[in-house]
Amino acid sequence: MKIAFDAKRFFHNASGLGNYSRDLVRILAHYFPENEYVLLNKNKSERGESILENSNVHFIETSKGRMSRQFKMGIDAQKEKADIFHGLSGELPLKWEKTPIKKVVTIHDLIFVRYPQYYSFFDRQIHLWKFKRATQIADKIIAISEQTKKDIIHYLKVPETKIEVIYQGCHKAFKEQQSEEFTQQTKQKFNLPEKFILNVGTIEDRKNLLNIVKAIKGTDIPLVVIGKKTKYYQKVAGFISKNTMEKQVHFLEGVSMDELAVIYKLADIFVYPSFFEGFGIPVIEALFSKTVVITSNRSCLPEAGGKDSVYINPDDYHDIRSKIQFLWDNEAERKRRADKGFEFVQKFNDETIANELMNFYQKIL
């Protein structure tokens, strides 16, 4: 089998869609080496270099031309005699020749429809048009959660029979045990507190960091935050400054994937009170790290967290505070839930997901 991928996000997105793209190709190449995997894009980058070292993974430059991703990439895949073309981020090329090829698209979320206030009018219209068009062109659609499947049916009016849920995993660093030496180096490099709670993700309204900061105000619980800053950061920083919490809240930058994996493992509690997610990869990363999770009781987050994570109302920082304090004061309960969470998260391991993907591909041929 020969599978071609739209590799724009594979090469050019550091997190999110980039991690999904790289992990998907990596696990397929590892567990199904007899197939050929073609990465189509106008250029490549250092991201994913190790995956391209596999003899069954190849980069092919998209044909030159204006809007080549929309008008050339699909035809390039057909010229390569690919059996399947997989758009990894909600889009498919618009132009195809008559040569047979099955078309698959992964849709991660429809947050731009559910929460339009987070997007400009122009971005909302472009996203909606691209996603609708992709669902029309595709032979089959992958949704990364049951929540996303429901949203595709509701907002894009796609028949349920056209959609299959295949969860995503996370980077292999979270499943590895880093050395004690590297762990100590990471602790020293970032001057980490002995005990702390952790939040990871873009610092934006939807991720709701401010309510974690409000929840720990007046406590001696340190918070470590890792994520790209947006305008919303100023709102959080203003609250921290006003309440003299600068020594309690630590913002880290320049964190590598292996350092991030260590920090997850060192954290006592991972707190993720997002208002809405398509899946919630940080929750999976925490569970693989054997760190107990507190997360929201809405969207897909209970799917990602399982029954032994602790759930909160993200609108209510008093609820967040009481759950944090309960786990902070109870080491045995933290360990019990972390161990159970680690058992649960095995459903998102690489081999399981690779098998589900390959079964999906084989069914549509």
Side-chain angles (χ1 to χ4, degrees), residues 18-246:
N19 285 336
Y20 172 79
S21 301
R22 288 184 290 273
D23 282 337
L24 183 144
V25 177
R26 173 181 63 80
I27 65 177
L28 286 173
H30 177 75
Y31 289 103
F32 297 96
E34 67 276 15
N35 298 320
E36 192 175 348
Y37 307 98
V38 177
L39 302 174
L40 289 160
N41 196 45
K42 63 183 179 182
N43 53 29
K44 57 182 177 177
S45 71
E46 73 285 352
R47 292 193 180 99
E49 275 182 346
S50 61
I51 299 166
L52 275 166
E53 289 171 6
N54 288 288
S55 60
N56 56 350
V57 182
H58 312 289
F59 165 73
I60 291 179
E61 185 180 343
T62 314
S63 295
K64 301 278 192 248
R66 191 164 171 269
M67 295 181 71
S68 60
R69 187 168 174 234
Q70 287 76 25
F71 297 120
K72 306 276 188 177
M73 187 182 282
I75 296 168
D76 288 341
Q78 290 172 306
K79 286 177 180 173
E80 287 296 319
K81 296 184 169 54
D83 300 295
I84 295 170
F85 181 93
H86 190 163
L88 297 167
S89 56
E91 297 179 57
L92 283 173
L94 302 175
K95 193 170 182 182
W96 302 86
E97 291 181 343
K98 289 181 180 177
T99 313
I101 187 169
K102 294 294 184 180
K103 304 170 192 79
V104 173
V105 66
T106 296
I107 293 183
H108 297 261
D109 61 66
L110 293 173
I111 293 170
F112 62 91
V113 182
R114 277 184 161 272
Y115 292 90
Q117 66 270 32
Y118 298 141
Y119 297 83
S120 72
F121 174 80
F122 180 74
D123 282 347
R124 291 200 310 271
Q125 296 307 307
I126 289 289
H127 285 326
L128 186 59
W129 185 86
K130 282 181 176 178
F131 278 40
K132 276 187 172 176
R133 192 81 181 100
T135 60
Q136 291 162 359
I137 294 169
D139 293 289
K140 277 289 233 186
I141 299 160
I142 292 175
I144 62 162
S145 66
E146 291 291 344
Q147 177 65 60
T148 296
K149 179 180 176 179
K150 288 174 190 168
D151 285 353
I152 295 168
I153 294 166
H154 179 72
Y155 293 111
L156 303 182
K157 311 303 180 195
V158 175
E160 184 176 0
T161 52
K162 198 173 180 179
I163 309 164
E164 189 156 333
V165 174
I166 300 179
Y167 291 115
Q168 62 186 109
C170 65
H171 195 279
K172 61 181 181 179
F174 302 99
K175 302 159 196 170
E176 296 169 344
Q177 191 58 50
Q178 287 75 22
S179 71
E180 182 59 30
E181 182 184 7
F182 184 73
T183 299
Q184 290 306 317
Q185 286 172 356
T186 303
K187 279 179 78 170
Q188 289 167 9
K189 177 179 176 180
F190 295 106
N191 195 25
L192 294 171
E194 274 307 305
K195 284 184 70 182
F196 61 93
I197 64 173
L198 176 66
N199 174 258
V200 176
T202 303
I203 301 167
E204 60 184 352
D205 286 342
R206 179 170 57 85
K207 305 285 189 184
N208 198 23
L209 173 62
L210 183 57
N211 269 357
I212 308 179
V213 177
K214 287 180 178 178
I216 62 167
K217 180 191 165 193
T219 74
D220 59 357
I221 300 171
L223 167 64
V224 171
V225 180
I226 303 171
K228 179 183 171 187
K229 293 174 181 174
T230 68
K231 282 192 295 185
Y232 172 76
Y233 166 77
Q234 297 304 327
K235 189 175 179 181
V236 179
F239 184 90
I240 289 167
S241 176
K242 184 179 177 183
N243 292 280
T244 324
M245 296 173 71
E246 289 89 348

Side-chain angles (χ1 to χ4, degrees), residues 165-345:
V165 174
I166 300 179
Y167 291 115
Q168 62 186 109
C170 65
H171 195 279
K172 61 181 181 179
F174 302 99
K175 302 159 196 170
E176 296 169 344
Q177 191 58 50
Q178 287 75 22
S179 71
E180 182 59 30
E181 182 184 7
F182 184 73
T183 299
Q184 290 306 317
Q185 286 172 356
T186 303
K187 279 179 78 170
Q188 289 167 9
K189 177 179 176 180
F190 295 106
N191 195 25
L192 294 171
E194 274 307 305
K195 284 184 70 182
F196 61 93
I197 64 173
L198 176 66
N199 174 258
V200 176
T202 303
I203 301 167
E204 60 184 352
D205 286 342
R206 179 170 57 85
K207 305 285 189 184
N208 198 23
L209 173 62
L210 183 57
N211 269 357
I212 308 179
V213 177
K214 287 180 178 178
I216 62 167
K217 180 191 165 193
T219 74
D220 59 357
I221 300 171
L223 167 64
V224 171
V225 180
I226 303 171
K228 179 183 171 187
K229 293 174 181 174
T230 68
K231 282 192 295 185
Y232 172 76
Y233 166 77
Q234 297 304 327
K235 189 175 179 181
V236 179
F239 184 90
I240 289 167
S241 176
K242 184 179 177 183
N243 292 280
T244 324
M245 296 173 71
E246 289 89 348
K247 291 184 179 176
Q248 189 177 3
V249 184
H250 310 261
F251 291 93
L252 307 188
E253 295 180 348
V255 181
S256 73
M257 195 63 81
D258 282 315
E259 288 167 342
L260 180 61
V262 163
I263 295 167
Y264 266 109
K265 292 179 179 77
L266 291 171
D268 292 87
I269 306 166
F270 179 71
V271 188
Y272 198 67
S274 175
F275 290 118
F276 193 89
E277 294 292 325
F279 184 52
I281 284 294
V283 170
I284 301 297
E285 292 168 346
L287 294 176
F288 270 116
S289 305
K290 293 190 177 179
T291 298
V292 66
V293 169
I294 296 174
T295 191
S296 303
N297 59 2
R298 58 179 70 169
S299 73
C300 66
L301 290 163
E303 283 182 70
K307 66 183 178 65
D308 291 289
S309 292
V310 174
Y311 294 97
I312 48 87
N313 173 359
D315 294 301
D316 183 357
Y317 71 86
H318 298 289
D319 187 24
I320 300 171
R321 182 201 301 259
S322 67
K323 302 288 172 55
I324 290 173
Q325 196 71 59
F326 167 69
L327 288 176
W328 185 259
D329 294 337
N330 194 331
E331 184 179 358
E333 185 63 7
R334 291 200 307 269
K335 185 174 187 319
R336 185 189 74 78
R337 288 180 180 270
D339 289 344
K340 288 286 189 182
F342 186 71
E343 288 175 23
F344 165 79
V345 83

